[in-house]
Amino acid sequence: MAKPGATKSRSTRVAGMVLALLLSGTLLSGCLESSDDADQAEVKASQKAEQEQQKADEKARKDAEASQAAEAERVRQEQEAHDQRVENERKQAEEQQRKDAEAAEAERVRQAREAESARVAEEQRQAEERAKAEQAAQPRGFAGTGSSSGGGDVSYANCTAVKQAGKAPLYEGQPGYSYQLDRDRDGIACEK
């Protein structure tokens, strides 16, 4: 038979072993729980890092969009300024062309007036020369004595009478010439 003290010691050993097993199970369970907690913490940290990355990506995207919008606005403003400069230059060119055309027209009118004045002056000069030539060609007997009638017994009431007589125009010194028939006093009466 076994000794009573030996049974007790064996029971104590078994109890110690059971206790040791329980303790190691608890420890093992604690370690497993600790490992699960670490995994969960790691998952949470990973999720948080992912969320932070998403936020950073979203901010970068918004910043890029804002930068693109600012660049587009700058380009639009530059284009508007360029278009305005081109329009102003076009208007200035048109205004200059208008002024040049007006100046050219004024010069053309001036030259036409000068040409007309020269033509009229030349016609008057030629008429005076003709009158002098005809007067010089007249026989001396037709020359007046300084009277306004210019010659002899012939006189006309008006230019219509001179024209009906077929004597128009009358030159100073010719019979029938008078200052009353010579409106512009150029020595040629009833010229028209």
Side-chain angles (χ1 to χ4, degrees):
M1 211 150 150
K3 296 182 186 178
T7 305
K8 190 175 183 185
S9 134
R10 192 176 196 199
S11 301
T12 305
R13 269 191 283 153
V14 169
M17 285 173 67
V18 168
L19 187 58
L21 279 172
L22 283 174
L23 281 175
S24 62
T26 303
L27 282 176
L28 184 60
S29 174
C31 283
L32 288 175
E33 284 177 11
S34 179
S35 175
D36 286 344
D37 287 346
D39 286 346
Q40 286 179 355
E42 190 176 317
V43 167
K44 284 182 182 179
S46 175
Q47 288 174 345
K48 186 173 181 181
E50 189 175 318
Q51 288 173 349
E52 292 296 324
Q53 183 62 42
Q54 286 175 349
K55 285 180 184 178
D57 289 347
E58 182 66 17
K59 184 178 183 312
R61 184 186 63 77
K62 286 181 180 178
D63 289 347
E65 287 175 355
S67 176
Q68 287 175 347
E71 179 64 15
E73 179 63 16
R74 184 189 65 77
V75 168
R76 185 190 65 77
Q77 288 176 350
E78 284 180 358
Q79 185 62 41
E80 283 181 358
H82 176 265
D83 292 347
Q84 186 64 38
R85 278 193 308 274
V86 168
E87 180 65 14
N88 288 341
E89 289 171 359
R90 183 190 63 78
K91 285 180 180 178
Q92 288 175 351
E94 286 177 356
E95 181 65 16
Q96 187 61 45
Q97 286 176 344
R98 185 187 63 76
K99 287 179 180 178
D100 291 347
E102 286 176 356
E105 179 62 16
E107 178 63 17
R108 187 193 65 75
V109 167
R110 185 190 65 76
Q111 289 176 353
R113 284 181 182 160
E114 286 181 358
E116 180 64 16
S117 295
R119 184 188 65 76
V120 168
E122 179 62 19
E123 285 179 358
Q124 283 180 343
R125 186 190 64 75
Q126 289 175 356
E128 288 173 2
E129 285 181 2
R130 276 196 311 270
K132 287 179 183 178
E134 287 178 5
Q135 188 176 10
Q138 292 289 333
R140 296 279 181 204
F142 285 108
T145 59
S147 71
S148 64
S149 66
D153 308 6
V154 180
S155 67
Y156 298 100
N158 54 38
C159 284
T160 304
V162 173
K163 289 177 185 173
Q164 286 175 349
K167 300 294 185 180
L170 288 174
Y171 296 96
E172 188 175 0
Q174 284 183 326
Y177 173 86
S178 74
Y179 287 113
Q180 288 81 9
L181 299 176
D182 188 0
R183 290 183 196 158
D184 55 3
R185 304 285 190 253
D186 64 351
I188 306 170
C190 302
E191 48 194 313
K192 288 189 180 182

